[in-house]
């Protein structure tokens, strides 16, 4: 299967701990995005967007959240010092966006469900 | 930022019925997608439709970009169509609506 793959599917951790999720995009896709979805809401775009350049190491930080995409391959999302409010489904999506053209459809993984005790 | 409103928020139908889901957006967008999130949480891409009309089996979608809305049509509903249908638009980022929760009764 060549879809977007995320792991783990579920993560339960104590408040204050750090957690890391992984996303493997569709192989030919050059863009990767992380979303957060809470119960009853649509996915929320988080500013963890990954650089499209396949040879760069892209790292973005936002508060306790950071994402990496070494060499434009898989991506990891790390949440430091987790809080109760971080409990949510974390979705990863990838797309193919050739330079100079409009963004192409995003394809989503099955998500990682995070529960903070 | 762009506002995305979906209606109705909830819809309960008998199997075999037809339905129309609506997505309104407040400003011009670069593209628009419809997704189905099934009861297991999987988000499935249905249509990539910045404008015009597309059909895929029992589903079809129409986007009228000049009037800032899109419609998703589901014909001859099946229980497997149950779930939440999201509309997502893009300007400088992707913005999802709150979804329409569809429940098809057997």
């Amino acid at each position: 299967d060549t879809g977007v793959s995320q792991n783990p599917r579920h993560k339960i951790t104590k408040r204050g701990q750090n957690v890391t999720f992984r996303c493997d995009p569709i192989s030919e896709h050059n863009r990767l995005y992380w979303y957060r979805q809470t119960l009853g809401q649509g996915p929320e775009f988080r500013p963890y967007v990954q650089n499209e350049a396949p040879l760069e190491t892209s790292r973005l930080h936002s508060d306790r959240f950071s994402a990496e995409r070494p060499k434009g391959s898989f991506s990891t999302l790390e949440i430091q010092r987790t809080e109760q409010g971080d409990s949510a489904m974390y979705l990863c999506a990838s797309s193919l966006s050739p330079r100079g053209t409009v963004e192409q459809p995003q394809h989503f993984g099955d998500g990682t469900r995070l529960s903070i005790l | 930022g762009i506002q995305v409103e979906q209606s109705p928020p909830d819809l309960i139908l008998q199997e075999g019925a037809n339905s129309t889901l609506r997505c309104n957006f407040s400003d011009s967008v670069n593209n628009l997608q419809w997704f189905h999130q099934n009861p297991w949480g999987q988000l499935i891409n249905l249509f990539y439709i910045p404008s015009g009309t597309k059909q895929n089996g029992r589903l079809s979608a129409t986007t009228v970009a000049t009037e800032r809305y899109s419609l998703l049509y589901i014909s001859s509903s099946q229980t497997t169509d149950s779930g939440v249908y999201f509309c997502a638009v893009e300007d400088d980022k992707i913005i999802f609506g709150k979804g329409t929760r569809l429940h098809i009764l057997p």
Side-chain angles (χ1 to χ4, degrees), chain B residues 12-17 77-80 82 103-106:
Chain B
I12 300 175
L13 296 172
Q14 205 70 38
E15 194 169 28
S77 300
Q78 300 175 359
T79 55
T80 51
S82 295
H103 190 180
I104 305 298
L105 302 174

Side-chain angles (χ1 to χ4, degrees), chain A residues 9 31 33 35 37 40-45 89 91 102-110 113, chain B residues 30-31 33 35 37 40-45 48 86 90 92-99 101:
Chain A
R9 291 297 307 275
R31 289 191 178 182
Y33 306 91
Y35 293 84
Q37 185 178 24
Q41 301 295 317
E44 178 187 10
F45 176 79
M89 174 73 85
L91 295 161
V102 178
E103 176 82 29
Q104 295 299 304
Q106 295 194 6
H107 297 264
F108 281 79
D110 288 345
R113 184 171 297 283
Chain B
N30 294 328
N31 66 54
Q33 289 184 250
F35 294 92
Q37 189 164 43
W40 296 270
Q42 296 173 316
L43 205 59
I44 308 300
N45 192 324
Y48 171 71
F86 289 107
E90 180 186 8
D92 60 345
K93 62 180 181 181
I94 307 294
I95 302 169
F96 279 76
K98 292 188 175 182
R101 185 172 298 277

Side-chain angles (χ1 to χ4, degrees), chain A residues 11 20 44 62 76 83 86 88 91-92 95 102 112:
Chain A
K11 179 71 175 179
T20 301
E44 178 187 10
S62 176
T76 57
E83 302 173 355
D86 296 334
L91 295 161
C92 169
S95 68
V102 178
T112 294

Side-chain angles (χ1 to χ4, degrees), chain A residues 10-116:
Chain A
H10 304 275
K11 179 71 175 179
I12 301 173
T13 191
K14 292 182 178 180
R15 186 179 56 183
Q17 297 296 305
N18 299 341
V19 294
T20 301
F21 312 140
R22 174 173 171 139
C23 173
D24 288 89
I26 293 173
S27 58
E28 62 268 27
H29 284 185
N30 57 344
R31 289 191 178 182
L32 186 152
Y33 306 91
W34 286 97
Y35 293 84
R36 189 174 95 153
Q37 185 178 24
T38 53
L39 195 62
Q41 301 295 317
E44 178 187 10
F45 176 79
R46 303 298 293 178
Y48 316 124
V49 64
Q50 298 301 292
N51 202 302
E52 64 176 322
L55 299 180
E56 295 181 14
T57 297
S58 174
R59 186 181 182 95
L60 282 171
H61 297 264
S62 176
D63 301 319
R64 298 174 292 104
F65 294 77
S66 65
E68 287 189 339
R69 190 180 184 192
K71 298 184 180 179
S73 57
F74 67 90
S75 178
T76 57
L77 175 67
E78 181 183 20
I79 307 175
Q80 296 180 327
R81 304 180 304 280
T82 52
E83 302 173 355
Q84 292 287 148
D86 296 334
S87 294
M89 174 73 85
Y90 290 83
L91 295 161
C92 169
S94 70
S95 68
L96 176 64
S97 297
R99 290 186 184 279
T101 68
V102 178
E103 176 82 29
Q104 295 299 304
Q106 295 194 6
H107 297 264
F108 281 79
D110 288 345
T112 294
R113 184 171 297 283
L114 175 64
S115 297
I116 306 299

Side-chain angles (χ1 to χ4, degrees), chain B residues 17-100:
Chain B
N18 301 330
S19 59
T20 300
L21 282 57
R22 186 176 181 101
C23 172
N24 291 333
F25 42 98
S26 60
D27 205 344
S28 301
V29 297
N30 294 328
N31 66 54
L32 184 146
Q33 289 184 250
W34 282 98
F35 294 92
H36 174 217
Q37 189 164 43
N38 64 24
W40 296 270
Q42 296 173 316
L43 205 59
I44 308 300
N45 192 324
L46 297 177
F47 292 103
Y48 171 71
I49 186 166
S51 63
T53 297
K54 291 185 178 180
Q55 181 155 7
N56 184 4
R58 297 181 295 103
L59 274 61
S60 63
T62 295
T63 296
V64 184
T66 54
E67 297 187 20
R68 300 175 185 169
Y69 73 89
S70 183
L71 302 173
L72 177 68
Y73 305 97
I74 304 174
S75 63
S76 304
S77 300
Q78 300 175 359
T79 55
T80 51
D81 295 333
S82 295
V84 184
Y85 289 80
F86 289 107
C87 163
V89 303
E90 180 186 8
D91 54 354
D92 60 345
K93 62 180 181 181
I94 307 294
I95 302 169
F96 279 76
K98 292 188 175 182
T100 291

